Amino acid sequence: MSVSVLSLTRPLDTVSGLLQLASLLGLALLLLKAAQLYQRRQWMLKAIQQFPSPPSHWFFGHKQEFQTGLELQELKKRTEKYPCASPRWLWGSKVILVVYDPDYMKMILGRSDPKSEGAYRFMAPWIGYGLLLLNGETWFQHRRMLTPAFHYDILKPYVRLMADSVQVMLDKWEELLSQNSHLEIFEHVSLMTLDTIMKCAFSYQGNHQADSSNASLQLEPSAPSSFRNSQSYIQAIKDLNYLVFSRVRNVFYQKDIFYWLTSEGHRNHKACQLAHQHTELSTTPGNTVWADRVIKLRKAQLQEEGELEKVRNKRHLDFLDILLLAKMENGRGLSDKDLRAEVDTFMFEGHDTTASGISWILYTLATHPEHQQRCREEIQSLLGDGASITWEHLDQMPYTTMCIKEALRLYPPVPSVGRELSKPITFPDGRSLPRGFLVSLSFYALHHNPNVWPKPEVFDPSRFAPDAARHSHAFLPFSGGSRNCIGQHFAVNEMKVAVALILLRFELAPDPFRIPVPTPRIVLMSKNGIHLHLRKLL
């Protein structure tokens, strides 16, 4: 009996010993990690001691700034109090230097520092590793291959397609005005820019704005499938804007293994699926196929049509043509995976950032009726009734262009970008940062910096008069340096077309009861939408 009791207690003692050992190892690892984090925080504190900032909590950092809903207002206070740049603590050992000085911007954008992997990788499940997320030599190869897609010969035919999409939106607005005189315009503009990018980039023949009595994302079962898909895509992009931004700032969401188990992780996965599902294109009316299938079909079509010049002579090239025809120095084209990443990237960047820019431009003109009327008179003298707008017209509206630029200064579509320093840097004022430090280039803060722009909150288009002088890096709505926005000319052209045609048909006024609250996401959005009163012009 005693032998059997001993034989039972020995395994129990062994298990207990193993548990104790595991507990000790776990505690040791925890202490080691805590020591590493402490050492990293001390290194960070030493690195940024030259840069003052508002008081922060030792663990939660400046989280309170993010939770007020007035983050951009807090950011503008920093530009007044802390010259050039100031640190923002996200949590314990995670700090980013927020930069808003043109000399600092020029130095950083003139280098080849990679985008900060920790933040941008959260976008990879959504858009893959295309031009936005790539770094180093691979980025350079893709950039060089895609640059021909934005040559003015390629962009010229797009003006008519842009105008067609805008006119569809305006016809829809006229119908809605019989029900109400005000609209939340961001969703309408998003559908319009989505329509445009599908036509210009992929020769899509359908209509993403069609057949709905309103732009609400609450879809009726009878809504056409193309419209329902577009609305789902717009909502997915809106969700991803929030979810990616939220994840960057949450210490508990950094590890994939934990994040994908959370409710936000599930929402992110579902939104990515919806975004990918929308990349379905149509080669002929009623013939809808998945994007991967479209790529294969276009490849076969191009092989039949022949080389680039033969294709150019038959029809205008689109973005997908350029992607498929592009070759690296070794003569190889992009892989199917790379092609899909560039398609998803261009779908997002080609519609969401432009929709943000157009919506904020319209709001700015609505709140400054005297400038709105002057733009309208300029456009009327140029276009008459606006029956047709051409490439040549886009350079013949100087005052409207000045107003667009001033609106982009106040409301830059991409409020900030991030970089991770690949080598130490010393700024013009003598302050420096070591290799590996994270910096956030805040274009919003730069554009509202009173040391750069006198009376920065005042809407003053004369800042962009032809003879106006300013720092080369004081105005960066499309970033700067070698990694500036490759599609900025496409975006500005679409903004000009949209503003011109809208002002010819409608008078804009703000809704005094729903003033938009700018909020930083991947693109600049409004926390409560952008609501305008519209009056049809005779």
Side-chain angles (χ1 to χ4, degrees), residues 247-465:
R247 186 179 180 188
V248 169
R249 294 177 168 186
N250 192 320
V251 61
F252 303 109
Y253 287 172
Q254 301 304 296
K255 298 294 184 182
D256 289 348
I257 192 171
F258 299 122
Y259 179 69
W260 297 116
L261 295 175
T262 67
S263 59
E264 281 204 13
H266 288 301
R267 282 179 61 198
N268 190 314
H269 179 69
K270 185 177 180 180
C272 285
Q273 285 184 318
L274 287 171
H276 293 157
Q277 286 172 7
H278 178 271
T279 335
E280 51 177 4
L281 310 174
S282 184
T283 52
T284 57
N287 180 21
T288 304
V289 289
W290 294 110
D292 294 332
R293 177 67 174 151
V294 170
I295 290 172
K296 291 178 182 177
L297 288 174
R298 185 70 68 84
K299 275 184 177 179
Q301 181 184 0
L302 289 175
Q303 286 173 355
E304 291 178 5
E305 292 179 333
E307 296 300 320
L308 179 63
E309 288 306 316
K310 294 181 181 178
V311 177
R312 191 193 300 271
N313 291 333
K314 288 184 178 180
R315 55 179 173 80
H316 82 266
L317 298 174
D318 61 24
F319 177 71
L320 191 53
D321 290 326
I322 301 294
L323 278 177
L324 293 169
L325 291 166
K327 302 289 182 184
M328 292 185 237
E329 289 181 355
N330 59 14
R332 292 190 315 179
L334 295 173
S335 69
D336 287 349
K337 182 180 179 181
D338 289 339
L339 284 167
R340 183 59 190 263
E342 296 298 356
V343 165
D344 285 333
T345 298
F346 201 71
M347 278 285 295
F348 160 62
E349 291 228 86
H351 104 271
D352 205 38
T353 54
T354 313
S356 173
I358 292 171
S359 298
W360 286 110
I361 291 167
L362 296 178
Y363 171 71
T364 307
L365 292 174
T367 54
H368 298 87
E370 68 282 10
H371 296 290
Q372 179 187 159
Q373 182 56 28
R374 186 169 170 182
C375 289
R376 181 176 293 110
E377 290 170 358
E378 177 181 72
I379 295 162
Q380 286 172 335
S381 67
L382 181 65
L383 300 179
D385 60 1
S388 63
I389 182 170
T390 67
W391 170 270
E392 287 70 26
H393 289 139
L394 300 183
D395 287 331
Q396 298 176 37
M397 44 181 80
Y399 194 77
T400 303
T401 301
M402 288 161 56
C403 288
I404 288 173
K405 289 181 177 179
E406 176 67 345
L408 292 176
R409 181 189 69 81
L410 289 169
Y411 303 104
V414 177
S416 65
V417 298
R419 295 287 188 270
E420 182 175 338
L421 299 181
S422 57
K423 56 185 178 181
I425 188 171
T426 300
F427 295 110
D429 57 11
R431 294 188 288 184
S432 61
L433 286 176
R435 176 182 180 274
F437 211 88
L438 300 178
V439 294
S440 172
L441 307 178
S442 177
F443 305 133
Y444 187 91
L446 170 72
H447 291 179
H448 290 262
N449 188 340
N451 297 312
V452 180
W453 300 95
K455 298 181 180 179
E457 303 309 310
V458 175
F459 180 77
D460 181 9
S462 67
R463 302 180 201 268
F464 295 95

Side-chain angles (χ1 to χ4, degrees), residues 140-187:
F140 179 76
Q141 290 176 347
H142 281 229
R143 176 82 180 207
R144 187 164 56 184
M145 290 170 70
L146 299 181
T147 296
F150 301 94
H151 189 274
Y152 71 91
D153 282 339
I154 304 296
L155 297 179
K156 274 185 179 181
Y158 293 166
V159 173
R160 178 182 58 80
L161 300 175
M162 293 172 178
D164 290 344
S165 295
V166 175
Q167 295 292 10
V168 171
M169 180 181 73
L170 298 183
D171 291 342
K172 187 173 171 183
W173 285 6
E174 284 199 35
E175 294 177 13
L176 295 173
L177 284 181
S178 61
Q179 304 169 29
N180 206 328
S181 65
H182 71 84
L183 287 175
E184 197 294 308
I185 65 165
F186 195 96
E187 290 175 8

